[in-house]
Amino acid sequence: MPSLKHPLTGAIYTLRSDGLVDVDNNGLRGVFYFDGRHHSGDLTFADPHMLLWLAGPQLPDTVVSRRSHKVT
Amino acid sequence: MAAATQRQARSAGISYQDLISRDVVPPPRTLTLENRFEGPPTTVPVSRYTTQAFHDLEMRNMWPKVWQMACREEEIPNVGDYTTYEIGSYSIIVVRTQQGFRAHHNVCRHRGRRLCDADGHASSFICPFHGFSWNLDGSLRSVTSEWDFPHIDKKNFNLSAVQCDTWGGWVFINMDVKAEPLAKFLGDLPQHFAVWKPESRYIEAHVAKVMGCNWKVCQEAFMEAFHVIHTHPQILVGIGDENSQYDAWGNFSRAITPNATPSPHLKFKPTEQELFDSVTMRYLDQPALGEVPAGMTARAMMAAGGRMGLQPVVGDDTPISDACVSDSIYYTLFPNFHPWGGYNRIVYRFRPYQNRFDKSVMECYYLSPFAGDRPAPAKMHWLEEDQPWTDAPELGLLAKVFTQDTFNLPKVQLGLEAAQYDEVVLANYQETKIRHFHHLLKNYL
């Protein structure tokens, strides 16, 4: 599943199959909704914009989801 | 000495000029220019965003007196093609005639009905109410039951005139017939864009969305890279957000945010591969889109890739610099027009939605270079306030970036309307473009 490392905190954000996001901040873990609300776990705050990027409204699968270095 | 002082009052990261001095293909001269804006203000009254009274003041004193981008030439390609440009309660017809582009108030001179309800093609404008008609150039064509209007001076019964002129493939209007010519208003802006040939682009995408905030709240979110650290953290590794350069000249301002260079906010030094992976939006579970060779920088690799894709389109006679394919170069022409420089395709326009101070319309055009025959321009794709940007997949990844911005903006409006203070405080350097905008706005009030 898509997973990103927060560039400032080092926390790992991983999208789950149920649309929630697992966040592991140096061993402290929590589960969050796409809009920043806490779902469960000891970690009670996560970056809402990271959550939104991973679990918010998504583009259709047919759209290229990564910027290529060969076109602008 | 002055230059040294300017450099000191900025982030500790590498300056943009130092960065581009190391590029493989050097930038055009205009990207080496610096013109820091030192003037006021550093604060803006909250009421500029939150009151109908200020909106009405803009509608009375600014919008009818300033040049505005109304459409692209390609949207009305044939004589008789017309479009309407709406701003607040004003509606302007922009039409292509044998003599060039013309603009008129979209109002019947008889009893005031709007003449055109939608874009279209006409040999004359006929009022759907009583049938008075005008030629494309605005001159009176016919009066229904002319015998009943002996008091009309037909030579002075033209559609109300609006100034109209073009630059870069865009058509501009100004409702003030005594306003300075467009060329004078633009100042040196066309020189900045000369190498990028905006007139040789076509509309690959055009998306408009209703936003739940004042038009200036919306536009100001796209005039600085200061917000990247918290609104777009996923791109922070590979963007020199705090290294951005901000300048202003006359009626336009510019920001340049370098890409494939690390943010000064980072607490670690990313490798060139990490920079490349960040710019290419690599998730942890995905393979890299490419390996940065030893001795090469991610910035040079991105630029080489960009050149490879673009050179066949723009032609061999146009040198494509690293900066022009790598960096975010975003201009603002007062009051609401935001063409991006380089070979980035983005153009923004922001307007009030109808006549409301608390709603706006944000538009994003993709203007793309092309080889061969000019492709047909994309039609506007309208999104209502409750529709996500991802309903416009033609924007690609930018739709997801806008989703993050849109997560903030209605809440900025809500916060401003509840604010217990009188003024918004702006950063001296990183919010230069916003300060410059309000500096110019004051002249109209």
Side-chain angles (χ1 to χ4, degrees):
Chain A
M1 294 296 283
S3 186
L4 280 172
K5 183 178 182 179
H6 196 292
L8 297 177
T9 67
I12 304 296
Y13 289 64
T14 305
L15 179 65
R16 300 176 3 160
S17 58
D18 60 3
L20 299 174
V21 179
D22 281 328
V23 182
D24 182 337
N25 192 355
N26 299 307
L28 195 59
R29 296 181 177 184
V31 182
F32 296 86
Y33 296 98
F34 78 96
D35 57 1
R37 286 176 298 132
H38 179 245
H39 175 273
S40 58
D42 295 333
L43 182 67
T44 58
F45 177 79
D47 187 327
H49 288 289
M50 289 288 279
L51 299 170
L52 194 59
W53 185 263
L54 278 172
Q58 299 295 311
L59 293 160
D61 291 340
T62 52
V63 176
V64 174
S65 60
R66 295 176 70 179
R67 178 183 167 185
S68 168
H69 67 297
K70 293 184 177 175
V71 295
T72 56
Chain B
M1 185 63 186
T5 304
Q6 287 188 9
R7 290 279 173 88
Q8 287 162 8
R10 59 174 308 283
S11 111
I14 185 172
S15 78
Y16 184 70
Q17 294 304 317
D18 289 339
L19 184 73
I20 59 176
S21 70
R22 304 172 189 176
D23 281 347
V24 176
V25 178
R29 186 189 67 85
T30 52
L31 293 189
T32 67
L33 300 175
E34 293 182 86
N35 202 44
R36 188 166 176 145
F37 176 66
E38 300 284 8
T42 51
T43 59
V44 174
V46 171
S47 59
R48 288 192 177 189
Y49 307 98
T50 60
T51 62
Q52 191 64 37
F54 193 81
H55 169 88
D56 293 343
L57 190 62
E58 289 177 338
M59 277 299 157
R60 192 166 56 246
N61 289 356
M62 185 193 74
W63 293 111
K65 298 178 180 177
V66 70
W67 284 99
Q68 297 152 65
M69 189 273 281
C71 66
R72 290 278 296 174
E73 292 184 31
E74 64 194 291
E75 292 179 282
I76 43 177
N78 302 307
V79 171
D81 290 346
Y82 64 87
T83 187
T84 56
Y85 170 68
E86 318 286 342
I87 183 75
S89 55
Y90 299 102
S91 178
I92 309 298
I93 302 169
V94 182
V95 59
R96 187 188 284 259
T97 76
Q98 290 283 7
Q99 291 73 40
F101 294 96
R102 296 288 184 273
H104 321 289
H105 281 274
N106 186 13
V107 179
C108 175
R109 286 291 307 273
H110 173 217
R111 297 254 303 268
R113 191 202 190 280
R114 284 203 170 174
L115 284 174
C116 302
D117 296 332
D119 300 351
H121 178 89
S123 55
S124 63
F125 299 114
I126 304 172
C127 179
F129 196 176
H130 299 89
F132 284 47
S133 67
W134 286 265
N135 297 307
L136 297 182
D137 66 1
S139 59
L140 182 65
R141 177 171 175 265
S142 69
V143 175
T144 306
S145 295
E146 188 174 341
W147 60 269
D148 215 6
F149 293 89
H151 43 289
I152 285 180
D153 177 0
K154 294 205 294 187
K155 289 181 180 170
N156 289 311
F157 210 62
N158 299 338
L159 293 178
S160 300
V162 172
Q163 284 205 70
C164 186
D165 206 344
T166 62
W167 162 64
W170 290 288
V171 183
F172 291 80
I173 62 96
N174 191 326
M175 289 179 251
D176 181 359
V177 295
K178 296 179 180 172
E180 64 183 335
L182 175 66
K184 187 174 179 186
F185 182 79
L186 294 174
D188 292 337
L189 187 61
Q191 293 177 29
H192 284 245
F193 277 80
V195 69
W196 303 313
K197 301 182 176 72
E199 65 279 3
S200 299
R201 308 279 183 98
Y202 82 103
I203 303 174
E204 187 175 5
H206 180 189
V207 181
K209 176 171 161 50
V210 180
M211 302 288 281
C213 59
N214 180 272
W215 73 277
K216 299 184 296 297
V217 167
C218 195
Q219 127 166 323
E220 290 167 10
F222 297 87
M223 294 171 75
E224 40 87 359
F226 187 28
H227 70 290
V228 168
I229 181 173
H230 273 281
T231 300
H232 311 297
Q234 77 283 354
I235 62 173
L236 200 61
V237 170
I239 186 169
D241 54 344
E242 209 181 30
N243 303 131
S244 301
Q245 178 178 312
Y246 298 91
D247 305 290
W249 296 268
N251 289 316
F252 69 93
S253 60
R254 178 184 71 182
I256 312 177
T257 299
N259 292 306
T261 186
S263 167
H265 292 298
L266 298 177
K267 299 292 189 286
F268 66 99
K269 186 177 187 304
T271 65
E272 293 297 330
Q273 186 64 47
E274 287 172 323
L275 291 173
F276 181 83
D277 291 344
S278 175
V279 175
T280 54
M281 305 303 301
R282 180 188 184 185
Y283 286 134
L284 296 177
D285 62 330
Q286 290 178 314
L289 279 187
E291 303 295 331
V292 182
M296 191 177 201
T297 65
R299 183 174 170 82
M301 184 164 165
M302 292 295 301
R307 267 191 293 277
M308 189 165 56
L310 270 170
Q311 203 74 70
V313 180
V314 301
D316 292 335
D317 58 333
T318 303
I320 299 177
S321 70
D322 295 24
C324 287
V325 286
S326 301
D327 298 333
S328 302
I329 306 164
Y330 38 119
Y331 287 80
T332 297
L333 177 67
F334 183 85
N336 67 333
F337 179 52
H338 302 251
W340 283 41
Y343 292 98
N344 199 303
R345 300 174 295 172
I346 295 171
V347 175
Y348 298 133
R349 179 173 62 178
F350 302 88
R351 291 180 278 173
Y353 176 59
Q354 298 175 346
N355 229 336
R356 297 185 60 159
F357 74 86
D358 59 349
K359 304 280 184 194
S360 52
V361 176
M362 172 178 168
E363 290 171 85
C364 178
Y365 295 76
Y366 278 170
L367 294 186
S368 301
F370 59 92
D373 294 338
R374 173 179 285 277
K379 298 287 186 189
M380 181 201 287
H381 181 174
W382 182 268
L383 299 177
E384 298 294 343
E385 187 177 350
D386 60 353
Q387 285 185 271
W389 283 101
T390 47
D391 279 4
E394 62 267 40
L395 293 177
L397 274 181
L398 199 57
K400 290 188 64 178
V401 175
F402 290 166
T403 299
Q404 293 176 308
D405 294 302
T406 305
F407 184 69
N408 291 337
L409 294 175
K411 293 158 192 168
V412 173
Q413 185 68 32
L414 287 173
L416 286 171
E417 291 181 17
Q420 300 300 300
Y421 51 83
D422 296 330
E423 294 181 319
V424 172
V425 180
L426 299 172
N428 195 45
Y429 186 60
Q430 293 181 87
E431 291 172 335
T432 286
K433 291 184 67 179
I434 303 172
R435 293 197 307 105
H436 180 251
F437 166 84
H438 284 279
H439 171 75
L440 294 176
L441 177 60
K442 188 180 177 187
N443 296 334
Y444 287 83
L445 303 178

